[in-house]
Amino acid sequence: MTKSTIEKTTLGATGPSVGRLGLGAMGMSGMYGTADDAESIATIHAALDSGADLIDTGDFYGSGHNEALIGRAIADRRREDIRLSVKFGVLRGPGGTWGGVDNRPVALRNFLTYTLQRLGVDYVDIYRPARLDPAVPIEDTVGAIAELVEAGYVRHIGLSEVGAETLRRAAAVHPIADLQIEYSLVSRGLEAEVLPVARELGIGITAYGVLSRGLLSDTVRARGSFGADDFRAHSPRFQGENLTRNLRLVDALAKIAAAKDVSVAQLAIAWVLTRGADIVPIIGARRTQRWTEALGALDIRLDADELASIEAAVPADQVAGERYAAAQMEMLDSER
């Protein structure tokens, strides 16, 4: 696949033009077990060389490791060819402990200063709070980022995992380019209210978790356990009977994929791509072969009957387990 074959879309009514697939870098900093920096950088290069331009990170991924890694990877690339999406606000302690969320204006200005240094750039394309801070009105957070837009340090404002009411309040302060939120065959909660409101307000969707952390692929079906440093070792959907029930759904999806001579992951990505040009899947690849596999989804065409078969094979109400553990679910404004 060459650059010319990757379709572009605009994030919302006011956001940047980006490729139809983005690269999520979180897994390159240890969230799913040990990662290899050299292979991670090769994956970033493969994504950029394929015509993708959106790279998503968070300043708390690997406590800064992820941004520094991306900075190394893009050091010899033209800045104008890359769209950097950065999440902030999650507080970490030594050893990776969780310290809550801080979206105060004074804090986010500090966070951005360090982000720019680690990335080796003088602006980020999209800046967003990773989670809603219940102690800080969203108007204050968005207003502070708007000042950074005015100053040239940020190009666009995004949000992450917020609900419809918060979207409306934020958009009343400054145009919002996109909402980053989990969306896949097994995580379809945004369809009822959040997605319609986002579309009403001209806000694009960058969809993460489109493979549900590997559940919607051929890899989890072939393994029996996860290391203690793997997010999935603590995720409800990957535990005991929940995993058994969910893998039955994946087996049904695999039969459809086999009939089309594609992988389960490719079919799952292709399904998300059918949901609208305003939805950009963020693929959490950390190896070049996984990115190459994801690119194949762009060539898959699904007709109405095939879409019906896919959704019948994986009914949203048959998925076992929440997408996060209880404490993390409590932090999702999008789930309230």
Side-chain angles (χ1 to χ4, degrees), residues 280-293:
V280 175
I282 302 295
I283 308 302
R286 56 179 178 166
R287 292 188 292 276
T288 55
Q289 61 265 41
R290 291 301 177 206
W291 178 257
T292 300
E293 179 185 13

Side-chain angles (χ1 to χ4, degrees), residues 288-305:
T288 55
Q289 61 265 41
R290 291 301 177 206
W291 178 257
T292 300
E293 179 185 13
L295 287 176
L298 294 169
D299 298 323
I300 298 173
R301 299 293 176 264
L302 298 171
D303 61 29
D305 289 342

Side-chain angles (χ1 to χ4, degrees), residues 185-243:
L185 272 167
V186 296
S187 296
R188 300 177 61 178
L190 83 163
E191 293 178 341
E193 184 178 10
V194 173
L195 182 56
V197 169
R199 285 175 166 161
E200 173 195 334
L201 297 173
I203 298 172
I205 299 292
T206 42
Y208 76 90
V210 296
L211 300 181
S212 193
R213 298 161 182 84
L215 179 64
L216 296 172
S217 73
D218 295 305
T219 57
V220 172
R221 300 162 70 212
R223 64 187 298 174
S225 62
F226 303 96
D229 59 348
D230 191 314
F231 171 89
R232 294 168 292 190
H234 315 284
S235 173
R237 288 184 176 171
F238 292 86
Q239 307 304 307
E241 181 59 25
N242 284 352
L243 180 59

Side-chain angles (χ1 to χ4, degrees), residues 132-150:
L132 189 67
D133 184 344
V136 180
I138 190 63
E139 292 85 354
D140 291 357
T141 300
V142 171
I145 306 174
E147 293 175 359
L148 295 170
V149 172
E150 182 67 23

Side-chain angles (χ1 to χ4, degrees), residues 72-317:
R72 289 163 53 196
I74 67 173
D76 62 349
R77 301 297 177 119
R78 295 199 316 164
R79 177 65 184 90
E80 59 267 33
D81 292 339
I82 302 167
R83 308 287 177 262
L84 295 172
S85 167
V86 179
K87 291 182 289 297
F88 68 85
V90 173
L91 303 178
R92 306 293 295 273
T97 56
W98 170 260
V101 175
D102 189 350
N103 290 348
R104 293 173 301 148
V106 67
L108 69 87
R109 285 189 287 267
N110 177 76
F111 296 147
L112 181 62
T113 300
Y114 288 96
T115 282
L116 295 174
Q117 176 68 25
R118 286 188 290 259
L119 288 170
V121 299
D122 55 12
Y123 70 91
V124 297
D125 296 275
I126 311 172
Y127 202 48
R128 73 182 81 243
R131 295 290 184 267
L132 189 67
D133 184 344
V136 180
I138 190 63
E139 292 85 354
D140 291 357
T141 300
V142 171
I145 306 174
E147 293 175 359
L148 295 170
V149 172
E150 182 67 23
Y153 296 114
V154 172
R155 293 288 171 85
H156 304 278
I157 301 177
L159 294 171
S160 176
E161 288 289 359
V162 300
E165 179 185 353
T166 302
L167 278 180
R168 292 190 186 280
R169 290 170 55 193
V173 176
H174 188 278
I176 304 299
D178 72 313
L179 169 65
Q180 189 170 115
I181 191 167
E182 187 165 353
Y183 190 31
S184 72
L185 272 167
V186 296
S187 296
R188 300 177 61 178
L190 83 163
E191 293 178 341
E193 184 178 10
V194 173
L195 182 56
V197 169
R199 285 175 166 161
E200 173 195 334
L201 297 173
I203 298 172
I205 299 292
T206 42
Y208 76 90
V210 296
L211 300 181
S212 193
R213 298 161 182 84
L215 179 64
L216 296 172
S217 73
D218 295 305
T219 57
V220 172
R221 300 162 70 212
R223 64 187 298 174
S225 62
F226 303 96
D229 59 348
D230 191 314
F231 171 89
R232 294 168 292 190
H234 315 284
S235 173
R237 288 184 176 171
F238 292 86
Q239 307 304 307
E241 181 59 25
N242 284 352
L243 180 59
T244 299
R245 290 172 57 188
N246 291 333
L247 287 179
R248 292 194 192 106
L249 303 179
V250 180
D251 287 341
L253 189 64
K255 293 178 182 178
I256 300 172
K260 288 189 71 69
D261 195 26
V262 300
S263 71
V264 171
Q266 288 172 327
L267 191 63
I269 296 168
W271 179 85
V272 174
L273 286 166
T274 68
R275 312 321 286 173
D278 57 342
I279 298 175
V280 175
I282 302 295
I283 308 302
R286 56 179 178 166
R287 292 188 292 276
T288 55
Q289 61 265 41
R290 291 301 177 206
W291 178 257
T292 300
E293 179 185 13
L295 287 176
L298 294 169
D299 298 323
I300 298 173
R301 299 293 176 264
L302 298 171
D303 61 29
D305 289 342
E306 290 172 321
L307 287 170
S309 296
I310 290 168
E311 292 169 22
V314 188
D317 61 358

